[in-house]
Amino acid sequence: MRRIQNITKTPEGAIGFGIIAALMLVALFAPIVSPGDPLRIAGSPLLAPFVDPAFPLGTDRLGRDVLAGIIHGTRTSLAVGIAAAIAAIAIGLCVGLAAGFAGGAVDEALMRIVDAFQIVPSFLLALAFVSVIGASVPVVVLAIALGAWADPARLTRAQVLSIRERDYVASARVIGMHPVEIAWKEILPNALPPVLALSAIIVAAAILTEAALSFLGLGDPNIVTWGSMIAEGRNVLRSSPSLSIFPGLALVITVIGVYLLSEGLTKALAGRRSEA
Amino acid sequence: MMLLDIADLSRRFSSGGRDVAALSDVSLTLAPGETLGLAGASGSGKSTLARILLRLIPADGGTIHFEGKDWLTLSGAELRRRRAKMQMVFQDILGAFNPRATVASVLDDPLRIHEIVPKAERPGEIAALLERVGLPASYATRSIREVSGGQRQRIAIARAIATRPSLIVLDEAVSALDVSIRGKILELLVELQQERGIAYLFVSHDLAVLRAVSHRIAVMQAGRLVEIGTASQVIENPQSSAARALIAAVPRLVTGLPERHYYDV
Ligand SMILES: Nc1ncnc2c1ncn2[C@@H]1O[C@H](COP(=O)(O)OP(=O)(O)OP(=O)(O)O)[C@@H](O)[C@H]1O
Ligand SMILES: [Mg+2]
């Protein structure tokens, strides 16, 4: 609870937290707020927004409710974004910890792999991965994580290398603490916070990547996503631009919210450090 | 018999193409219950000696015998077990503690690792340690960040004596402290030594501090031991230029105060 208070103390953090909390609620309660399959045909096609109170944001070419699509799309975006970030951080932590603790040849080998993944543009990697294996939510999550784990791996390794040299780790060795306990109790908890602060950026990037994949038709075809809605709307961009604009806005707001929250998080962490 | 016998200890560092002989053929001995002050200008290799002694970094050459056994060939569980007998107090009064630690956890770790007392008696032992270094037992629940610098150094001393060591290495242990607190900490160290017969290797660049606690003083310069003798010999009749420079840096030493009096400023 104190963490959350710290984050919301800065204006960025407060706004970001507000946006993300609202989106989370929407995603969580999507089936209640907007019951039924968002992909079903609900009314007459191409209804303009703000005209029919039953379809506040209008309908698309097939008569599907745009608002329902956006509400359910929030679920996909957040779920894929957060799952991909968790996967990326998990992989990055494992690789970074292994490299930092093992050192020597293991470190060298792991960091060359990290280099390789950092050189390949992450979107191309995700694109290739999904086109080869096929589009489904778990594959998309994994594809995005594959392009995003290199940064946390690098940061984790740097953290481990720097904390290993601290006097408190030397103290732990002097009192005869076992190396495994030192890694687990002295190094890991102090190496984690900056890596976790990175997670917000990864979530934002993952949400954008997911949207881009769906836009290209490489998302899961059975669920509604903002990317696929934008792609849908592209066919009638001249006559009904709102079909692309609304999901686009949702995307922008989400990504901004995540960035603001990460700013607040970083400042809260920095504040805690300067207090110490 | 000597508690500690260091012979021909050497260590080089090469960083960025620069090769530094941080320690060259340093030999010295320490008797049980004795304080050896280790003086020297910045970069003379004092901390390197301390860190090799604590097995934090390896030596390039030389031997160390501690409590009669070869100390540098120990490894693994045997080394961890024997570490109980040689402890250290660091200069950095904040950096020497895990920022997440509480006072109790700092003292609990060595007691647990070396099974100094049965588990049920550990809280009592922690309270006794705190009281021994002049802190109320109620401090146990505090976060290590909530105590002042002088108190933190007392906790560092409590941690060092927790495993009942025969030697404590103190690397600039009072340099970061206020002059007013410094004297009290030195007093505590001397008391603990008299009570428990602990030997100290006391590293400092301040001869006034060393004179207050040391039986003998060794002077280092550029990785070599250039002078060693009783505290009064070295201070009143220095033989090396390094010792003379250190004496000149502390004007009040010249007034000829008795050796190993408590350091009151
Ligand atoms: N890890 C290291 N890498 C490279 N050089 C080092 C390293 N540690 C120490 N040195 C060098 O070894 C020499 C001795 O350093 P050391 O820290 O032992 O000196 P010191 O007497 O403790 O100095 P101070 O009084 O400033 O603490 C210095 O020239 C230093 O630059
Ligand atoms: Mg030093």
Side-chain angles (χ1 to χ4, degrees):
Chain A
M1 230 35 229
R2 247 191 38 220
R3 292 270 163 85
I4 292 178
Q5 274 173 9
N6 274 343
I7 294 167
T8 53
K9 251 182 222 154
T10 58
E12 306 89 308
I15 298 172
F17 183 78
I19 293 175
I20 297 303
L23 288 172
M24 289 274 198
L25 287 179
V26 169
L28 216 56
F29 295 109
I32 298 169
V33 181
S34 155
D37 182 2
L39 288 174
R40 78 179 189 280
I41 292 165
S44 46
L46 289 177
L47 268 178
F50 313 123
V51 177
D52 186 341
F55 305 106
L57 298 184
T59 57
D60 71 357
R61 280 199 304 166
L62 300 174
R64 293 178 294 203
D65 185 354
V66 172
L67 181 61
I70 287 182
I71 289 173
H72 285 264
T74 312
R75 284 197 128 176
T76 322
S77 278
L78 287 184
V80 170
I82 291 170
I86 290 175
I89 297 262
I91 303 173
L93 270 180
C94 292
V95 173
L97 289 175
F101 279 112
V106 176
D107 179 23
E108 198 61 29
L110 287 174
M111 290 328 281
R112 292 300 79 79
I113 298 175
V114 170
D115 283 345
F117 271 88
Q118 256 180 339
I119 288 166
V120 182
S122 55
F123 184 63
L124 275 187
L125 197 67
L127 206 63
F129 195 76
V130 175
S131 349
V132 171
I133 300 189
S136 70
V137 171
V139 173
V140 170
V141 166
L142 199 62
I144 297 173
L146 272 185
W149 65 274
D151 280 337
R154 208 170 267 288
L155 183 60
T156 307
R157 171 179 177 270
Q159 282 287 109
V160 169
L161 290 185
S162 117
I163 291 175
R164 246 169 48 157
E165 301 303 319
R166 303 275 164 88
D167 272 355
Y168 61 82
V169 173
S171 307
R173 290 172 65 195
V174 166
I175 61 166
M177 196 180 277
H178 192 279
V180 172
E181 193 186 346
I182 293 181
W184 186 249
K185 270 179 50 185
E186 309 287 318
I187 299 180
L188 191 59
N190 293 302
L192 275 183
V195 181
L196 294 185
L198 203 63
S199 60
I201 307 285
I202 297 178
V203 171
I207 289 174
L208 285 176
T209 309
E210 186 277 329
L213 285 175
S214 305
F215 181 81
L216 295 178
L218 287 169
D220 192 326
N222 301 316
I223 50 174
V224 56
T225 73
W226 296 339
S228 62
M229 288 175 76
I230 297 174
E232 259 306 294
R234 192 180 41 162
N235 297 316
V236 285
L237 197 57
R238 294 256 175 83
S239 50
S240 315
S242 66
L243 288 186
S244 295
I245 290 176
F246 286 125
L249 273 180
L251 198 58
V252 169
I253 291 172
T254 309
V255 171
I256 289 178
V258 174
Y259 268 113
L260 289 176
L261 186 64
S262 100
E263 275 296 302
L265 191 69
T266 311
K267 283 194 181 166
L269 285 173
R272 236 163 47 102
R273 200 149 314 137
S274 63
E275 259 171 47
Chain B
M1 200 196 68
M2 281 302 157
L3 173 72
L4 179 72
D5 191 341
I6 299 176
D8 303 321
L9 207 61
S10 301
R11 169 77 204 213
R12 305 185 74 85
F13 287 110
S14 48
S15 57
R18 210 172 50 100
D19 199 42
V20 188
L23 277 187
S24 316
D25 298 324
V26 170
S27 302
L28 52 84
T29 59
L30 197 58
E34 182 192 27
T35 302
L36 176 65
L38 189 60
S42 185
S44 57
K46 306 181 299 292
S47 296
T48 304
L49 178 61
R51 296 177 85 77
I52 291 176
L53 200 49
L54 269 302
R55 295 291 308 267
L56 293 171
I57 56 171
D60 292 340
T63 57
I64 296 176
H65 283 84
F66 176 60
E67 294 188 323
K69 297 218 182 76
D70 190 343
W71 178 246
L72 293 184
T73 54
L74 289 174
S75 65
E78 173 70 1
L79 172 63
R80 287 199 295 278
R81 195 175 60 76
R82 296 277 302 278
R83 278 182 181 282
K85 291 292 163 193
M86 192 195 292
Q87 287 297 301
M88 178 155 181
V89 176
F90 292 82
Q91 168 174 15
D92 185 351
I93 46 185
L94 185 57
F97 298 99
N98 186 335
R100 293 162 183 272
T102 63
V103 174
S105 75
V106 164
L107 299 178
D108 191 66
D109 281 340
L111 296 176
R112 168 178 55 82
I113 290 166
H114 295 285
E115 295 170 349
I116 302 293
V117 294
K119 186 163 195 245
E121 289 169 30
R122 270 192 243 142
E125 179 74 8
I126 291 170
L129 282 169
L130 284 174
E131 269 161 20
R132 184 59 202 89
V133 297
L135 292 175
S138 61
Y139 269 47
T141 54
R142 291 200 187 187
S143 156
I144 200 72
R145 295 179 306 187
E146 293 168 356
V147 299
S148 72
Q151 290 168 337
R152 232 176 254 148
Q153 209 58 328
R154 286 177 191 272
I155 294 162
I157 292 169
R159 168 168 67 183
I161 61 172
T163 57
R164 322 220 165 130
S166 51
L167 170 64
I168 300 180
V169 177
L170 302 109
D171 190 355
E172 305 277 7
V174 296
S175 309
L177 298 177
D178 245 38
V179 182
S180 57
I181 299 168
R182 206 180 270 186
K184 300 223 176 64
I185 298 280
L186 292 178
E187 220 167 291
L188 171 67
L189 286 170
V190 172
E191 267 172 43
L192 285 171
Q193 179 170 59
Q194 283 161 354
E195 191 180 296
R196 308 180 178 209
I198 308 170
Y200 292 140
L201 181 67
F202 203 110
V203 175
S204 178
H205 60 270
D206 185 344
L207 271 185
V209 168
L210 288 187
R211 178 197 179 95
V213 293
S214 306
H215 300 103
R216 288 188 300 145
I217 292 178
V219 181
M220 290 188 62
Q221 184 178 27
R224 296 188 174 277
L225 202 66
V226 291
E227 183 163 357
I228 186 162
T230 65
S232 51
Q233 267 171 12
V234 171
I235 286 168
E236 273 141 38
N237 191 13
Q239 302 299 312
S240 61
S241 59
R244 279 192 288 274
L246 289 170
I247 291 167
V250 194
R252 64 184 180 280
L253 269 182
V254 189
T255 57
L257 297 166
E259 92 184 53
R260 207 174 180 216
H261 64 96
Y262 292 153
Y263 183 70
D264 308 306
V265 180

